[in-house]
Amino acid sequence: QVQLVESGGGLVQAGGSLNLTCVASGRTARVLALGWFRQAPGKDREFVAAINRSGNSAYYKDAVKGRFTLSRDNADNTIHLQMNSLKPEDTATYYCAADNHVSVLARAISASWGRGTQVTVSA
């Protein structure tokens, strides 16, 4: 079992930055891979980034590499997605997700989900 709570979304202009936070809690939170997906209106939910339970291996969608950085604080089961150089196409609802391994999480088959936080980037 795991509970996921996101925060940090907001409205920024193109080129700006946001930092998203997801706090994972529950019996299995410490041993789970954690990450982020996003979904824009009229589009499918897509993988953004994921990090393993040790916090030493992170994986990113090609479109965000070099702009987004995912980190993990295992002391409090929290991940942070630092988003820099934001573009209008980054506008979406961002969902925190958890699964047993990063390779499984990226496929979004059996993940647990948070409720989402809205990111809006104006042109």
Side-chain angles (χ1 to χ4, degrees):
Q1 66 178 31
V2 63
Q3 295 79 47
L4 305 170
V5 180
E6 305 101 326
S7 62
L11 173 64
V12 298
Q13 294 185 338
S17 298
L18 286 172
N19 189 286
L20 305 185
T21 295
C22 174
V23 179
S25 61
R27 183 176 59 84
T28 63
R30 193 173 66 255
V31 300
L32 294 174
L34 299 170
W36 294 92
F37 288 72
R38 66 188 183 187
Q39 187 170 26
K43 296 185 177 181
D44 293 333
R45 187 173 298 186
E46 64 178 3
F47 170 78
V48 176
I51 195 164
N52 68 355
R53 67 182 185 181
S54 298
N56 60 0
S57 297
Y59 305 86
Y60 301 91
K61 175 183 175 66
D62 287 344
V64 308
K65 288 180 179 177
R67 299 190 297 121
F68 292 8
T69 301
L70 183 61
S71 61
R72 181 167 187 160
D73 181 356
N74 285 331
D76 57 5
N77 299 310
T78 299
I79 57 170
H80 304 277
L81 185 66
Q82 178 64 47
M83 306 187 296
N84 298 324
S85 301
L86 283 163
K87 305 174 181 179
E89 51 263 44
D90 295 318
T91 295
T93 301
Y94 283 68
Y95 297 91
C96 187
D99 215 324
N100 292 328
H101 193 274
V102 290
S103 63
V104 180
L105 177 58
R107 299 198 298 271
I109 300 300
S110 58
S112 298
W113 302 93
R115 297 202 311 167
T117 185
Q118 180 65 40
V119 171
T120 302
V121 184
S122 62

